[in-house]
Amino acid sequence: MPESGNTPELPDLPEAVAAPRARWRLQVVWLVPIVAVLIGGWLAVKAVLDEGPKIAITFITGEGLEAGKTRIKYRDVDIGVVKEVSLSRDHKHVIATAEVVKDASDLLVDDTRFWVVRPRISGGTVSGLGTLLSGSFVGMDAGGSPKARQQFTGLETPPVIASDIPGRAFVLKSKDMGSVDAGTPIFYRRLQVGQITSFALDPDGRSVTLHVFVNAPYDKFVRPDTRFWHASGVDIALDTNGVKINTQSLVSILVGGVAFDTLEHSLNEPPAAAGASFTLFENLGEAMKRQDRIVTRFVAEFDDSVRGLTVGAPLDFRGITIGEVSGIYTRFDREARKLSIVVEVAFYPERFTNRYESGPTGGPVVKNTRDFADYLVSKGLRLQLRTGNLLTGQRYLAVDFFPDAPKSKIDWNKNPPQYPTVPNTLQSLQDSMSRLVAKLNTIPFEAIGKNAQATLQSANSLLTHVDKDVVPSARDALTAAQGTMTSANGALQPDSALQQNVGDAMNQLAQTAAAVRTLADYLERHPEALVRGKREEQP
């Protein structure tokens, strides 16, 4: 250090050491943003963790769908929202992209169904009226499949039955739909027990397939031999059996319906399996008609008109239906050059049993069906058209014995075989009248008229001769006869001399007869008087 006389000495100072500067020095002002960032991050993570699955639902039209507003509901609880509505790449469909809450992710399985809920009237039911104020929404029916799914095809109509409703589904086959629709009720003993869920035309276009659902516990009454039939409106049948009116309920009259029942002999059978197929008949009569397992077909040829005979008309044997008419057509015989009407018949042998007993031990009359049929025909079995209903003119085919019918036999060479027939009574009368008219036409009425005219002329000439010659002579003879009759009448008067003489003669004759009778009595008592004479009586 430099020396100096006047300058005081300064104490020694420590050497300064440079301290390192802290890099992360927390300031109080940064505390709030940090907390905000942490909260935002936590909310973002929570949102990601709570975010539900996204699904795509394809619809034909976007009616009722609005992005950000249309809700997805299950059992009237919101479980999602439609986020986006866009067209498909082919511009033929609408794809609704929706987000579903995480808790409902297990409901998105393979058989889950979606549809747009809007006001609808179908099958006699009205649904979706609440959407008139709140707007449309997407309804969901959860399925039971274990397979998850995210791409769905929406239904155009709401399902009639929810997946979790107890019961069983069945299939009906029908020629046509009639007046039924999806949602049409199904009746059992006039009690509504189910609905028609869907229907479709078969690929061949010949029939319709209907899917029905019968609620539990009524589904147990559907058995393998159960019969289903159309119960729509009022069923009025006017046929050979008369007039029949049948209906199920007021609901079936207004919106239609399907009914089912089981025959008595099948009530103890086990219930039918789910998905079993049945035939849907046109009416109750057709449904409850005996379903024969054995059907034999034959034809009958008629020369007279078959007007009033329809397909389905009964084949009747003395009041028992043993078959029905299955077809009516014409036939031209090339050999006989003849046009006739051919009726094809479905015959049910089970109804016309051949279990006949002969003798004390019993046994069949014939060995096979052909011999049996030939035997019956040889005894006069014939087919005849008869009128079953005078009001409608409907006819049926009768089978009966006609001993006086001409001899005939079954033509087994034809397929189907042909049975002999006889004309009906009215036709026979008409044929007889035709033959009578034909015979009358052969009578020479013109020649007979000419001969009759000549005879009348001769008679006229004879009458003229009689009037001129015979009548005057006859008049004179009559005058003389009248005089004679007058004289005879005068002689027969009570006071005439003839009458008095006759009276006296009759009195004398009576006295003579009395004397003879007295003499005869005396001789009977005294025969010896003929020899000795009459004895004098002693006083």
Side-chain angles (χ1 to χ4, degrees):
M1 292 183 60
E3 295 181 355
S4 175
N6 298 325
T7 304
E9 293 183 5
L10 295 174
D12 294 334
L13 296 175
E15 185 177 356
V17 179
R21 187 176 181 182
R23 294 183 179 180
W24 304 101
R25 188 176 182 181
L26 181 61
Q27 300 292 332
V28 178
V29 70
W30 294 104
L31 185 59
V32 174
I34 291 174
V35 173
V37 170
L38 293 176
I39 294 174
W42 177 77
L43 292 175
V45 172
K46 186 176 183 301
V48 172
L49 294 177
D50 293 342
E51 183 180 10
K54 291 185 178 181
I55 60 174
I57 309 173
T58 302
F59 294 98
I60 295 180
T61 177
E63 181 184 0
L65 299 176
E66 189 174 353
K69 292 185 179 181
T70 303
R71 313 296 297 179
I72 298 178
K73 293 185 178 183
Y74 176 66
R75 297 182 182 275
D76 289 334
V77 176
D78 291 344
I79 61 171
V81 62
V82 176
K83 294 294 185 179
E84 182 182 356
V85 180
S86 60
L87 289 174
S88 61
R89 292 184 177 181
D90 58 2
H91 299 166
K92 294 182 179 180
H93 302 87
V94 174
I95 299 176
T97 303
E99 183 179 333
V100 181
V101 297
K102 185 178 181 180
D103 294 340
S105 60
D106 57 342
L107 300 177
L108 304 176
V109 293
D110 190 61
D111 54 351
T112 296
R113 298 176 292 181
F114 293 90
W115 67 93
V116 178
V117 179
R118 60 175 71 97
R120 299 176 187 272
I121 300 177
S122 177
T125 60
V126 180
S127 61
L129 292 180
T131 59
L132 293 174
L133 300 178
S134 62
S136 300
F137 62 89
V138 178
M140 186 183 77
D141 179 38
S145 175
K147 183 180 178 181
R149 185 177 179 182
Q150 291 184 336
Q151 302 288 334
F152 298 91
T153 300
L155 304 176
E156 292 303 312
T157 58
V160 179
I161 302 297
S163 301
D164 56 350
I165 293 181
R168 280 180 293 172
F170 302 98
V171 178
L172 303 182
K173 293 287 187 177
S174 177
K175 293 182 179 179
D176 53 57
M177 283 290 296
S179 58
V180 301
D181 195 359
T184 297
I186 297 178
F187 298 94
Y188 177 69
R189 301 186 184 276
R190 290 184 169 83
L191 178 67
Q192 184 173 345
V193 297
Q195 302 85 21
I196 294 179
T197 58
S198 62
F199 57 87
L201 183 67
D202 290 348
D204 58 3
R206 296 182 178 180
S207 58
V208 178
T209 300
L210 298 94
H211 297 270
V212 302
F213 187 86
V214 180
N215 302 326
Y218 310 107
D219 57 337
K220 65 182 180 181
F221 299 113
V222 180
R223 296 177 172 84
D225 197 27
T226 294
R227 312 291 174 84
F228 289 81
W229 68 88
H230 284 282
S232 303
V234 179
D235 183 14
I236 301 177
L238 184 61
D239 53 16
T240 56
N241 297 322
V243 180
K244 297 180 180 179
I245 301 176
N246 185 39
T247 184
Q248 285 294 318
S249 66
L250 182 60
V251 176
S252 65
I253 295 177
L254 298 177
V255 302
V258 173
F260 71 89
D261 203 350
T262 306
L263 300 178
E264 291 293 335
H265 66 272
S266 303
L267 292 176
N268 296 326
E269 295 183 359
S277 180
F278 299 90
T279 300
L280 180 60
F281 295 93
E282 295 181 1
N283 50 57
L284 174 61
E286 291 292 330
M288 291 305 171
K289 184 184 296 184
R290 179 177 176 179
Q291 304 299 314
D292 297 270
R293 296 170 295 178
I294 303 175
V295 180
T296 303
R297 299 190 181 276
F298 63 87
V299 296
E301 188 176 20
F302 294 94
D303 295 330
D304 47 340
S305 174
V306 296
R307 184 178 180 85
L309 185 68
T310 59
V311 175
L315 176 67
D316 183 273
F317 176 72
R318 297 181 177 179
I320 301 176
T321 300
I322 59 175
E324 63 181 13
V325 176
S326 58
I328 303 174
Y329 49 88
T330 59
R331 174 192 290 173
F332 180 73
D333 190 345
R334 297 179 180 272
E335 297 180 358
R337 312 294 294 177
K338 177 183 177 182
L339 186 65
S340 59
I341 306 297
V342 176
V343 178
E344 184 177 340
V345 180
F347 172 62
Y348 308 128
E350 293 176 319
R351 304 187 188 182
F352 198 78
T353 177
N354 61 353
R355 297 186 182 92
Y356 293 96
E357 294 185 353
S358 177
T361 59
V365 176
V366 292
K367 296 181 179 180
N368 56 61
T369 55
R370 287 196 174 186
D371 292 341
F372 182 56
D374 290 335
Y375 169 76
L376 295 178
V377 171
S378 66
K379 294 299 181 179
L381 187 70
R382 299 290 188 272
L383 275 71
Q384 184 185 52
L385 282 172
R386 294 181 181 176
T387 301
N389 193 313
L390 296 176
L391 181 62
T392 62
Q394 290 181 315
R395 307 172 82 178
Y396 67 96
L397 204 57
V399 182
D400 209 336
F401 289 94
F402 299 88
D404 298 333
K407 297 295 182 181
S408 183
K409 60 181 181 179
I410 302 173
D411 189 354
W412 296 106
N413 296 324
K414 295 184 178 181
N415 188 21
Q418 181 172 330
Y419 276 65
T421 62
V422 293
N424 58 17
T425 306
L426 294 178
Q427 185 65 30
S428 301
L429 179 60
Q430 183 177 356
D431 294 340
S432 300
M433 294 297 296
S434 299
R435 290 192 295 268
L436 178 60
V437 171
K439 292 181 179 180
L440 291 176
N441 290 333
T442 60
I443 299 176
F445 288 102
E446 184 176 358
I448 293 175
K450 292 181 179 179
N451 294 334
Q453 185 177 5
T455 303
L456 290 175
Q457 291 178 354
S458 300
N460 189 22
S461 300
L462 179 61
L463 291 175
T464 303
H465 172 70
V466 169
D467 185 48
K468 291 182 178 180
D469 300 332
V470 178
V471 171
S473 300
R475 186 182 299 111
D476 296 339
L478 290 175
T479 302
Q482 185 177 6
T484 302
M485 292 299 294
T486 302
S487 300
N489 189 24
L492 293 176
Q493 293 296 324
D495 54 351
S496 63
L498 179 62
Q499 286 290 337
Q500 293 179 359
N501 295 333
V502 170
D504 294 339
M506 292 300 293
N507 291 332
Q508 293 177 5
L509 181 62
Q511 292 175 359
T512 302
V516 171
R517 184 166 54 254
T518 301
L519 177 62
D521 292 340
Y522 180 81
L523 291 176
E524 183 179 1
R525 291 192 305 270
H526 305 281
E528 69 276 7
L530 293 174
V531 178
R532 299 177 180 179
K534 182 178 180 183
R535 294 183 301 173
E536 295 182 357
E537 296 181 358
Q538 295 295 328

